[in-house]
Amino acid sequence: MPDFRDVRKKGFDKRAAVVDVLDWIDREVPLLPAESIPVVHASQRVLAADVSSTICVPDFDRAMMDGYAIVAESFHGASPHHPLPMQIVDTSMPGKPATATVDNDAVVQIMTGAPMPQGANAVLPFELVEQQGSQCFAIESVPAKKNVGYVGEDIRTGDTVAKRFQRLRPQDIGLLASVGVSDVSVFPQPRVRVIISGNEIVPTGSPRGVHQIFDSNGPMLTALIERDGGIPEVVFCKDDEDSLCDAISEPADVVLVSGGTSVGAEDLAPGIIQRLGDLVFHGIAMRPSSPTGVGKIGEQTFVFLLPGNPVSCLCAYDFFAGRAIRKLGGRDPAFPYLKSRLPLRRKISSVLGRMDYCRVKVVDQQIEPIAISGASVLSSLTKANGFVLIDPKSEGIDAGELADVYLFQAT
Amino acid sequence: MPDFRDVRKKGFDKRAAVVDVLDWIDREVPLLPAESIPVVHASQRVLAADVSSTICVPDFDRAMMDGYAIVAESFHGASPHHPLPMQIVDTSMPGKPATATVDNDAVVQIMTGAPMPQGANAVLPFELVEQQGSQCFAIESVPAKKNVGYVGEDIRTGDTVAKRFQRLRPQDIGLLASVGVSDVSVFPQPRVRVIISGNEIVPTGSPRGVHQIFDSNGPMLTALIERDGGIPEVVFCKDDEDSLCDAISEPADVVLVSGGTSVGAEDLAPGIIQRLGDLVFHGIAMRPSSPTGVGKIGEQTFVFLLPGNPVSCLCAYDFFAGRAIRKLGGRDPAFPYLKSRLPLRRKISSVLGRMDYCRVKVVDQQIEPIAISGASVLSSLTKANGFVLIDPKSEGIDAGELADVYLFQAT
């Protein structure tokens, strides 16, 4: 019969402050070296370098309305009472320019976006032209340059069209494509291995023995990693030294171990990390998630030991692992949640020296703390639509006071 | 030489009100028939049916702390001055329950999450037990049920754990997995064909002739469709009747045609839609995007004719095509942007009877309209971080007045 009192009673010698762990992540986690990908696949990716245009947009003078390309001065004084005749000598269509030259009363019919013909300096819209028999007449005049889009009016050669660290929205992708960019330099998507450890854990939907439980952290972490721009790979692993050691040693940018990460008799992961690399933090002054571990193997791989219980797992992911993944991929390392400042409907108590992560529900623009019977109660997180953090320097927040609430899902 | 004055001068007989087009979309566009997919791939997908749990969570009584499973009453009165001896008869680990029974002073050492042994009704934490030589003593008591998680405490069999139309967040995925759900019924991702039409358009990065322009709408629409949960496929198509007709006729849930969609001589798409199905709206009272068309081919395919110029294209997509795609896939059909109410820094003018889509930039909690030299100026959209809509009943919004601003990117 194993006796795990000794190892257990030790507990954590010392719990690190949340802020110190965040500082370490911000200091240690680098940006991954840039990669080049097609612009059509770059939506929501983060640019690793500024992009300058190598062309002008437009790069030829073009009509901005349907009508007639004219020499503006030739029709000066035209009016309904004084129509001036025009001779249509050619047509200019987008991609199919006119070859004739515009001069005096010789005009070219032209469509929006089509190249301006030689000699023309304005477009007279169709509405300002009348047809009488086979003859057309201008019944109004326009000044020179009217209804013409000139070279470089939108973008000039050398203009910066997108910046480093910009996360590409659909319109940014459109702009890059419009200046002929086919590939862009972006930060890679971090490769994240998720190791689900625990002999009692089985993948959801698998046959399950008595006292076994379905894994919820694998699918949840997969979704979280994808949200943060990483590429997840989930591995199930028995609670034995060799299997865990092998799973942790495979190459990856980030390794997450869920379960077996505290200081109990069967918590093997901390010792393995300590042996393979450096477990910089183990035990953090927060609730939930205090048994979280943060470390590094070699120069390339960041390791996060996440508590097995799902609420603690999500909390530890969002605070630490997600931050590293977001930073590696060039994203803003902060929580990817909207923040709002609203009054509390009921008091939240905490203790000095510990950061508390309180699940809440925003109802009628007020923050309602969710009653929690245990950190393993995942349904408390699905009922929540956000969380409030209680600073280690505070003993809580009173009813009616304003608090910052992070909202789980942006639309 | 083609003469396109006749067709052009007709213009749009009548422009539909934006609100009528939106009503038609909301009325006509159905939900796609549900499909079943693995829960691990269901992040951000929309549930097509409520999900009930077929198990209890937990489904066995379990320890909520590390310590000793005891009969609470046996240690009543224990204190540091009155320690009571205990006999450790077995160990219970997660997935590895004890076989011995707890009774009187016989206790089982137990870890968090492990099954409660027979006879025990509470867990006495390690911290409340002292070892003297080989003998353990309880130095405090706990009431019955303390530190035990009972069957069904979080979720009971039959409880609804997720609802129809819920868009699955990481924690929802975790919850579904924890109750053993391996597949979920969701609305499919709409298949959207994007047809880029125009002889002058070449794919970005391709060799380009004089007076040809790089396509920006294909990559931009791809990103927009992906954002809205659709599966895009982009096809380039020459401006001829047969090619366009073939491209439009291929099966899809939604067909978008970019370019050649107005009433000009080379605008072939409207006639083709009219022939293959029903072009319900063509010409909409808005700026930009007035040459937008909306229709249907058969019972299954919705068609949107989007103006070729990129700003109008994005605007028409967001108003109409995106709405249909979001609705087909079970998402909220409204704009997928956050809305905020802020004061205008400068006046925006509009005209009665037309909906205006004004690109703006929010600076210091004020809305700054972006000066626009043309609807084709894509860079105006990339400089913007949102837009304001001017109602057809309004002639504009004065400086200092509050306006609703839609913000382009949520974090």
Side-chain angles (χ1 to χ4, degrees):
Chain A
M1 183 176 80
D3 187 331
F4 45 70
R5 275 169 303 161
D6 288 348
V7 61
R8 166 56 63 187
K9 285 182 87 175
K10 262 196 334 200
F12 292 106
D13 295 340
K14 186 173 155 249
R15 288 167 205 256
V18 167
V19 66
D20 291 337
V21 185
L22 299 181
D23 281 351
W24 184 86
I25 292 170
D26 292 349
R27 211 167 48 234
E28 291 285 323
V29 176
L31 291 161
L32 292 174
E35 65 179 1
S36 182
I37 62 167
V39 74
V40 288
H41 299 141
S43 181
Q44 297 306 319
R45 295 291 293 269
V46 179
L47 279 182
D50 290 1
V51 181
S52 307
S53 181
T54 57
I55 64 171
C56 284
V57 178
D59 73 342
F60 52 87
D61 298 342
R62 64 186 175 188
M64 301 301 281
M65 289 194 76
D66 294 339
Y68 298 91
I70 61 171
V71 175
E73 294 75 11
S74 303
F75 296 93
H76 188 73
S79 77
H81 301 295
H82 182 58
L84 293 177
M86 44 171 55
Q87 312 302 328
I88 301 168
V89 297
D90 205 348
T91 299
S92 179
M93 307 280 269
K96 221 192 280 169
T99 49
T101 296
V102 169
D103 195 8
N104 298 319
D105 68 343
V107 306
V108 161
Q109 62 181 353
I110 192 163
M111 287 196 69
T112 305
M116 288 293 285
Q118 280 270 314
N121 66 2
V123 172
L124 189 67
F126 278 113
E127 301 82 75
L128 306 184
V129 172
E130 258 184 24
Q131 195 161 11
Q132 291 173 13
S134 62
Q135 180 65 52
C136 286
F137 295 89
I139 58 166
E140 239 172 87
S141 62
V142 289
K145 300 195 172 177
K146 186 75 179 177
N147 301 322
V148 180
Y150 285 96
V151 168
E153 205 170 69
D154 190 6
I155 296 161
R156 301 197 154 272
T157 303
D159 281 358
T160 300
V161 288
K163 285 186 173 297
R164 188 170 194 231
F165 291 119
Q166 189 175 330
R167 189 151 158 217
L168 297 171
R169 304 169 300 176
Q171 57 265 49
D172 303 320
I173 300 282
L175 183 66
L176 289 168
S178 75
V179 299
V181 169
S182 55
D183 296 284
V184 284
S185 172
V186 295
F187 295 108
Q189 300 186 263
R191 293 156 308 140
V192 185
R193 181 156 344 90
V194 178
I195 300 168
I196 305 295
S197 136
N199 294 324
E200 78 281 18
I201 310 283
V202 298
T204 192
S206 311
R208 183 175 64 140
V210 183
H211 298 134
Q212 289 194 313
I213 60 172
F214 290 120
D215 169 49
S216 53
N217 290 349
M220 183 175 73
L221 289 168
T222 296
L224 287 164
I225 292 161
E226 287 172 348
R227 178 200 68 189
D228 287 338
I231 301 173
E233 177 204 7
V234 176
V235 176
F236 283 82
C237 191
K238 290 285 162 211
D239 278 335
D240 73 73
E241 195 83 16
D242 288 349
S243 313
L244 255 175
C245 194
D246 287 354
I248 291 173
S249 306
E250 286 281 308
D253 297 312
V254 177
V255 173
L256 310 183
V257 184
S258 158
T261 56
S262 188
V263 291
E266 293 213 335
D267 292 324
L268 303 172
I272 294 172
I273 307 301
Q274 204 56 276
R275 216 165 49 248
L276 296 174
D278 188 9
L279 185 61
V280 182
F281 302 99
H282 194 210
I284 300 178
M286 64 192 300
R287 189 168 83 170
S289 312
S290 73
T292 300
V294 177
K296 208 172 159 183
I297 298 177
E299 280 310 298
Q300 306 284 342
T301 305
F302 292 85
V303 184
F304 297 87
L305 304 182
L306 307 177
N309 97 55
V311 175
S312 304
C313 180
L314 183 131
C315 171
Y317 174 88
D318 266 349
F319 262 90
F320 309 114
R323 189 178 187 92
I325 293 167
R326 294 186 293 269
K327 187 162 180 222
L328 284 163
R331 296 197 183 191
D332 182 348
F335 285 126
Y337 300 122
L338 289 169
K339 198 162 82 169
S340 193
R341 198 162 171 80
L342 295 171
L344 268 187
R345 191 176 267 187
R346 286 190 293 113
K347 180 186 171 70
I348 300 178
S349 297
S350 179
V351 297
L352 282 177
R354 186 182 75 193
M355 168 87 84
D356 273 23
Y357 168 95
C358 305
R359 292 146 265 179
V360 302
K361 196 169 174 70
V362 173
V363 183
D364 300 334
Q365 292 297 302
Q366 286 195 302
I367 302 169
E368 174 77 36
I370 288 185
I372 307 159
S373 55
S376 57
V377 175
L378 189 53
S379 67
S380 69
L381 257 185
T382 65
K383 284 166 194 150
N385 58 15
F387 60 91
V388 166
L389 301 180
I390 313 293
D391 193 88
K393 295 195 198 82
S394 157
E395 290 186 86
I397 307 178
D398 281 329
E401 270 191 75
L402 289 175
D404 285 331
V405 57
Y406 292 89
L407 299 167
F408 276 133
Q409 180 143 303
T411 30
Chain B
M1 186 176 77
D3 185 333
F4 45 70
R5 277 168 303 162
D6 289 350
V7 62
R8 165 56 61 185
K9 287 183 82 176
K10 263 195 334 198
F12 292 106
D13 295 341
K14 187 173 156 246
R15 288 169 205 255
V18 168
V19 66
D20 292 337
V21 184
L22 298 181
D23 282 352
W24 183 87
I25 291 171
D26 291 349
R27 213 167 47 236
E28 292 285 323
V29 175
L31 290 161
L32 292 174
E35 65 178 0
S36 182
I37 63 166
V39 75
V40 287
H41 298 140
S43 181
Q44 297 305 319
R45 296 290 294 268
V46 179
L47 279 182
D50 290 0
V51 180
S52 308
S53 181
T54 58
I55 65 171
C56 284
V57 178
D59 73 344
F60 52 86
D61 298 341
R62 64 185 175 188
M64 301 301 281
M65 289 195 77
D66 294 339
Y68 299 90
I70 61 171
V71 176
E73 294 74 11
S74 304
F75 296 93
H76 188 72
S79 76
H81 303 294
H82 183 57
L84 293 176
M86 42 172 53
Q87 312 302 328
I88 301 169
V89 296
D90 205 350
T91 299
S92 180
M93 307 279 269
K96 222 193 281 171
T99 50
T101 297
V102 170
D103 196 10
N104 299 318
D105 67 344
V107 305
V108 162
Q109 62 180 354
I110 192 163
M111 287 196 68
T112 305
M116 287 294 285
Q118 280 270 313
N121 66 1
V123 173
L124 188 67
F126 278 112
E127 301 81 75
L128 306 184
V129 172
E130 259 184 23
Q131 197 162 8
Q132 292 172 12
S134 64
Q135 180 66 53
C136 285
F137 294 90
I139 56 168
E140 238 172 88
S141 62
V142 290
K145 298 197 174 178
K146 186 73 179 178
N147 302 323
V148 180
Y150 285 97
V151 167
E153 206 171 66
D154 190 7
I155 298 162
R156 301 198 152 271
T157 303
D159 280 357
T160 300
V161 287
K163 285 187 174 293
R164 188 171 195 232
F165 292 118
Q166 189 175 330
R167 190 151 158 216
L168 298 171
R169 303 169 300 175
Q171 57 264 51
D172 303 321
I173 300 282
L175 183 67
L176 289 167
S178 75
V179 299
V181 169
S182 55
D183 296 282
V184 283
S185 172
V186 295
F187 295 108
Q189 300 186 264
R191 294 157 306 141
V192 185
R193 182 156 347 88
V194 178
I195 300 168
I196 305 294
S197 137
N199 295 324
E200 78 281 18
I201 310 283
V202 299
T204 191
S206 311
R208 182 175 65 139
V210 182
H211 298 134
Q212 289 195 312
I213 61 172
F214 290 121
D215 170 48
S216 53
N217 290 349
M220 182 174 73
L221 289 167
T222 296
L224 287 163
I225 292 161
E226 286 172 348
R227 178 199 68 188
D228 287 339
I231 300 173
E233 177 203 9
V234 176
V235 175
F236 283 81
C237 192
K238 290 285 159 210
D239 278 335
D240 72 73
E241 195 82 17
D242 288 349
S243 313
L244 255 175
C245 194
D246 287 353
I248 291 172
S249 306
E250 286 282 309
D253 298 312
V254 176
V255 173
L256 310 183
V257 184
S258 157
T261 56
S262 187
V263 291
E266 294 212 337
D267 291 326
L268 304 171
I272 294 171
I273 308 300
Q274 204 56 275
R275 217 165 48 247
L276 294 174
D278 189 8
L279 185 60
V280 182
F281 301 99
H282 194 209
I284 300 178
M286 66 193 298
R287 188 168 85 171
S289 313
S290 73
T292 301
V294 177
K296 207 172 159 182
I297 297 176
E299 280 311 297
Q300 307 284 344
T301 305
F302 292 84
V303 185
F304 297 86
L305 305 181
L306 307 177
N309 96 57
V311 175
S312 304
C313 180
L314 183 133
C315 172
Y317 174 88
D318 266 348
F319 262 90
F320 309 114
R323 190 179 187 91
I325 292 166
R326 294 186 293 268
K327 186 161 181 223
L328 284 163
R331 295 197 184 191
D332 183 347
F335 285 124
Y337 301 120
L338 289 169
K339 199 163 79 169
S340 193
R341 200 164 169 77
L342 295 171
L344 267 188
R345 191 175 267 187
R346 286 190 293 112
K347 180 187 171 71
I348 301 178
S349 297
S350 178
V351 297
L352 282 176
R354 185 182 77 193
M355 169 85 84
D356 274 21
Y357 169 94
C358 305
R359 291 148 265 176
V360 302
K361 195 168 175 69
V362 173
V363 183
D364 299 335
Q365 294 296 302
Q366 286 195 303
I367 302 169
E368 173 78 36
I370 288 186
I372 307 159
S373 54
S376 56
V377 176
L378 188 53
S379 67
S380 69
L381 257 185
T382 64
K383 283 165 195 154
N385 58 14
F387 59 92
V388 166
L389 301 179
I390 313 292
D391 193 88
K393 296 196 196 81
S394 156
E395 290 185 85
I397 307 178
D398 281 329
E401 270 191 74
L402 289 175
D404 286 331
V405 58
Y406 293 88
L407 298 167
F408 275 134
Q409 180 142 301
T411 27

